[in-house]
Amino acid sequence: MTLAARLGGAALEQAARDRLGPAEADAFLARLDQLSFDITEPLEQVYGAAAGDGGSLIAGLIMDALDAAARRPAALRMLDRRREIDPAWFQRSRMIGYVCYADRFAGSLAGLRGRLDYLAELGVSYLHLMPLLRPRAGDSDGGYAVTDYDAVDPRLGTMAELEELAADLHARGMALCIDLVLNHTAAEHPWARQAQAGDPACKDMYLIYPDRAGPDEYERTLPEVFPDNAPGSFTEVPGLGWVWTTFHRYQWDLNWASPSVLRAMLGVMLTLANRGVDVLRLDAAPFLWKRKGTDCQNQPEAHLIVQALRALTRLAAPGLLLKAEAIVGPDQLVQYVGGHDRYRPECDLAYDNQLMVMLWSTLATRDARLAGHALSRRRPVPPATAWVTYVRCHDDIGWAVTDTDAAAVGLDGYAHRRFLSEFYAGRFPGSFARGALFQDNPATGDARISGTAAALCGIEAALGAGDRAGLAAAVRRLVSLYAVAFSFGGIPLIYMGDELGIRNDHSWSRDPAQAGDNRWMHRPRMDWAAAARRHDPSALEGQVFGALAALSRARRGLLALRSGGQTEVIPTGHRSVLAFRRAHPRSAPFLSLTNFSDTAVTVDAEVIARAGLNQARLVHGTEPGTALWADRVQLPAWGFAWLAGR
Ligand code: GLC
Ligand code: GLC
């Protein structure tokens, strides 16, 4: 029996035909049929009897999806059709991402529409805009405390302008990604306000405890996300009790055990999809489900909920993708793209946090063995999904290096993580980095790092010291990190400003809204005067921009860099060289070699042979200095080479 039949049979089919017309109804019902297991299985596991045939939860969710399908604009249905025909649309090598704050980049959404040529120059086909839905007034954790999911932050523009921007992007073959904060709302969201006013239905949407007994029990095993400026995970709200607040006191965690939260958030997702959003970044996805005696991250129910959300949104908006923001340990990561005991479709995309951490670790140690070991032992990403590969983002860098991986290459995990923090804070003797410690926790010894990529790579220090050779080396470090992100497999993401080598923004500490949070040092405003030098090869900006644009052009022509293929780390016999091979069933293999050292290295032909490249040719590399001879490849200091077989 089909799900449509189980859930109302002829009545649902009739409703679909009435609302959608015969052709769209047929497509909707076919999707329902195909997704039925992905909808029912997780929901029955999380919500039990309430979800099942007898309960009305699933039927209600499907009717919500049907409503959204009926409202979906014709232009977006056409995009859906194309993406259903070509489900690998986001896996192509032409996918290149850019992430920015609309206001910091272009003033507003309207301003952004005037900057798309700039993005096109970099080959961007995927634009991620940082939180833009209406936040609370005052401090909002950079927009991650939302009071209205159906309105744009008035400082940025309107929902109509967001729709216009999406249409402009689509006309250029670009996709739009925005943040969806689904773990918590602002304390000023109407649900939270009504909860405070005593409305029992709204109280049930949050996690509220009458006294400290529950919170104390949870806190025995709960790590703190912001030990410095937001200690603890609960906040006392007069008249209400203790409210679960994982992040800041004004960010109230939602109670995902309540079906009304699920239903409300599905509604939000479907509405945003109908505005033209192509990708939803699911903020803090690992935190959705809490369980006593655990760290309340990565719980099975959090995965099941995301799986159900994916299947349900597909009914109405099959072109929509979900991207997990799961900054978790290496062993927990692949599950967010569905890599469980079997493939359970979950997010289509997830941040490759581990690759990012390994890049910075390798840059500091000039030794690629830890990266090689850790990256080669992980489970491959499911073929229908992709990583988002990146060098920097708006958050701090947390050292996701396991003790086991460290020990395998003779390092002590704790000491190595501590070294990385010291190195990037610029405290380690000889360090070229100019970052800062974030949430240094003396109780656990944990610390994370803030700072722009340019500051962490040495550009800031070299400019400050007027050191020309140091600057050239620093630029190469930055470009080589990006060369890995562009070739490792997945969608590479350029963090705004990195393409121009923008340094730390030191004004944050003077702004009362930012002073408590040094992540603002790496969230600078776009410097359009610097951008104007992007075509000048003698300027820093011209060198970095030119190199990133060249990576983007080279990548687009390489079938092996499509997602869906495999990445395999190849040993080279050189400590400082990270080598990996990309293979895609439809292309000749590809080999990337990156030298994390301040002296040149020659890699011999045996390595190329081991990677299975026949008649290898050099497709791209650091200019000048990279060369391929019959029996060896020369990599300059901090340089890289991309080779392709025939
Ligand atoms: C995410 C964001 C981070 C924010 C947190 C709470 O992880 O990336 O900036 O502080 O969620 O919403
Ligand atoms: C931690 C959390 C992540 C959050 C970040 C904020 O890494 O795991 O979700 O965004 O802290 O800086």
Side-chain angles (χ1 to χ4, degrees):
M1 196 165 39
T2 64
L3 185 66
R6 264 167 68 194
L7 285 169
L12 176 62
E13 290 182 17
Q14 193 54 51
R17 264 190 286 278
D18 292 346
R19 308 289 307 278
L20 301 174
E24 288 288 339
D26 191 58
F28 182 90
L29 294 168
R31 282 181 215 125
L32 184 54
D33 215 17
Q34 190 229 346
L35 293 162
S36 69
F37 186 66
D38 296 338
I39 295 173
T40 53
E41 199 201 28
L43 291 175
E44 280 164 5
Q45 283 189 48
V46 178
Y47 299 98
D53 281 358
S56 57
L57 177 62
I58 294 183
L61 295 168
I62 290 172
M63 288 312 288
D64 293 348
L66 178 57
D67 279 346
R71 286 194 307 266
R72 190 146 174 88
L76 297 178
R77 288 189 196 184
M78 224 146 87
L79 258 183
D80 288 339
R81 173 132 337 123
R82 254 189 263 151
R83 291 172 182 176
E84 284 189 302
I85 290 168
D86 178 20
W89 68 274
F90 66 96
Q91 297 189 305
R92 304 201 179 287
S93 12
R94 70 174 286 278
M95 288 305 285
I96 288 159
Y98 189 85
V99 53
C100 63
Y101 290 88
D103 55 340
R104 304 197 141 234
F105 179 67
S108 65
L109 293 177
L112 224 156
R113 293 176 68 197
R115 295 293 188 183
L116 299 184
D117 283 342
Y118 176 83
L119 299 179
E121 261 185 60
L122 276 172
V124 170
S125 54
Y126 170 111
L127 177 62
H128 171 199
L129 296 180
M130 294 297 293
L132 51 73
L133 299 179
R134 186 194 287 269
R136 73 193 288 271
D139 190 3
S140 65
D141 189 19
Y144 288 105
V146 176
T147 58
D148 185 351
Y149 289 89
D150 201 25
V152 165
D153 181 344
R155 288 167 298 190
L156 304 180
T158 63
M159 210 31 111
E161 285 168 335
L162 183 68
E163 291 178 9
E164 285 161 10
L165 172 64
D168 280 6
L169 290 169
H170 292 155
R172 289 171 176 256
M174 296 181 184
L176 174 63
C177 170
I178 71 166
D179 275 87
L180 179 68
V181 188
L182 77 177
N183 175 68
H184 44 266
T185 70
E188 293 76 11
H189 189 283
W191 302 335
R193 288 211 192 272
Q194 283 162 41
Q196 245 181 302
D199 177 339
C202 289
K203 278 165 86 171
D204 186 48
M205 295 178 81
Y206 296 93
L207 297 152
I208 304 170
Y209 303 84
D211 51 39
R212 282 292 312 177
D216 283 345
E217 236 182 293
Y218 280 108
E219 281 190 344
R220 245 169 255 150
T221 52
L222 263 180
E224 292 173 297
V225 177
F226 299 129
D228 282 3
N229 54 2
S233 297
F234 299 85
T235 299
E236 189 172 19
V237 179
L240 199 56
W242 289 85
V243 179
W244 198 304
T245 54
T246 298
F247 295 91
H248 296 93
R249 45 189 306 121
Y250 53 76
Q251 288 163 306
W252 290 18
D253 286 48
L254 285 163
N255 173 23
W256 278 88
S258 153
S260 21
V261 168
L262 174 76
R263 196 155 179 191
M265 235 0 124
L266 175 66
V268 166
M269 294 168 85
L270 292 169
T271 306
L272 291 171
N274 278 354
R275 305 282 192 189
V277 171
D278 304 283
V279 184
L280 287 170
R281 170 191 181 276
L282 305 186
D283 182 61
F287 296 83
L288 297 188
W289 197 269
K290 331 290 186 196
R291 174 168 281 113
K292 276 193 186 143
T294 72
D295 62 0
C296 298
Q297 292 185 42
N298 311 309
Q299 295 300 307
E301 291 84 350
H303 289 287
L304 293 166
I305 289 165
V306 177
Q307 288 160 21
L309 289 172
R310 177 186 188 271
L312 288 162
T313 48
R314 293 238 139 183
L315 288 177
L320 179 75
L321 302 180
L322 302 185
K323 173 170 70 166
E325 189 248 345
I327 309 306
V328 296
D331 299 326
Q332 272 81 45
L333 204 53
V334 76
Q335 286 89 324
Y336 289 90
V337 279
H340 296 278
D341 50 336
R342 59 174 165 80
Y343 175 51
R344 298 167 187 266
E346 195 164 320
C347 285
D348 309 281
L349 300 167
Y351 287 90
D352 193 344
N353 172 58
Q354 192 185 16
L355 175 66
M356 184 274 290
V357 166
M358 285 302 147
L359 286 175
W360 291 108
S361 169
T362 309
L363 199 77
T365 57
R366 302 161 198 218
D367 184 336
R369 284 175 301 175
L370 175 61
H373 169 79
L375 295 170
S376 54
R377 76 164 185 88
R378 59 184 196 168
R379 277 195 279 157
V381 53
T385 67
W387 292 120
V388 172
T389 51
Y390 66 114
V391 171
R392 259 330 258 123
C393 74
H394 70 292
D395 276 331
D396 48 291
I397 306 175
W399 303 115
V401 176
T402 68
D403 291 342
T404 330
D405 284 339
V409 295
L411 294 171
D412 174 70
Y414 178 83
H416 182 59
R417 292 188 294 269
R418 198 66 222 177
F419 158 74
L420 292 172
S421 292
E422 296 287 316
F423 185 90
Y424 284 108
R427 299 177 175 187
F428 192 82
S431 168
F432 47 70
R434 292 291 177 271
L437 294 183
F438 178 71
Q439 308 294 326
D440 187 11
N441 188 343
T444 60
D446 287 337
R448 284 126 63 185
I449 279 293
S450 288
T452 66
L456 300 182
C457 281
I459 290 178
E460 182 148 339
L463 284 174
D467 172 1
R468 292 185 63 141
L471 183 61
V475 167
R476 284 181 172 206
R477 289 186 201 109
L478 179 59
V479 172
S480 286
L481 292 184
Y482 268 99
V484 176
F486 269 70
S487 59
F488 200 78
I491 302 181
L493 201 55
I494 301 171
Y495 183 60
M496 188 214 87
D498 285 359
E499 75 278 17
L500 301 171
I502 290 192
R503 276 80 65 206
N504 291 332
D505 178 354
H506 296 285
S507 68
W508 66 276
S509 57
R510 292 189 298 276
D511 180 337
Q514 303 178 353
D517 189 339
N518 74 14
R519 288 178 298 171
W520 288 101
M521 71 196 278
H522 54 255
R523 299 170 182 176
R525 287 183 187 285
M526 182 60 170
D527 182 345
W528 288 105
R533 295 190 288 274
R534 68 187 181 277
H535 300 132
D536 174 359
S538 69
L540 165 69
E541 293 80 10
Q543 288 161 13
V544 181
F545 190 96
L548 264 51
L551 283 176
S552 155
R553 281 192 301 274
R555 174 184 152 95
R556 259 174 286 160
L558 290 163
L559 205 55
L561 298 188
R562 273 191 189 192
S563 310
Q566 300 275 325
T567 306
E568 187 194 337
V569 176
I570 306 283
T572 65
H574 292 277
R575 265 189 191 205
S576 67
V577 177
L578 179 67
F580 53 87
R581 165 193 208 267
R582 281 286 305 167
H584 189 280
R586 306 200 57 175
S587 84
F590 162 94
L591 178 66
S592 160
L593 299 164
T594 310
N595 177 23
F596 289 87
S597 152
D598 38 22
T599 51
V601 159
T602 304
V603 174
D604 54 51
E606 197 210 315
V607 174
I608 305 174
R610 207 178 297 147
L613 270 70
N614 281 324
Q615 293 177 287
R617 67 202 156 88
L618 180 66
V619 284
H620 195 50
T622 308
E623 298 282 349
T626 312
L628 170 70
W629 293 289
D631 58 345
R632 61 199 197 281
V633 189
Q634 181 181 297
L635 299 170
W638 306 109
F640 72 96
W642 286 3
L643 307 179
R646 283 182 219 272

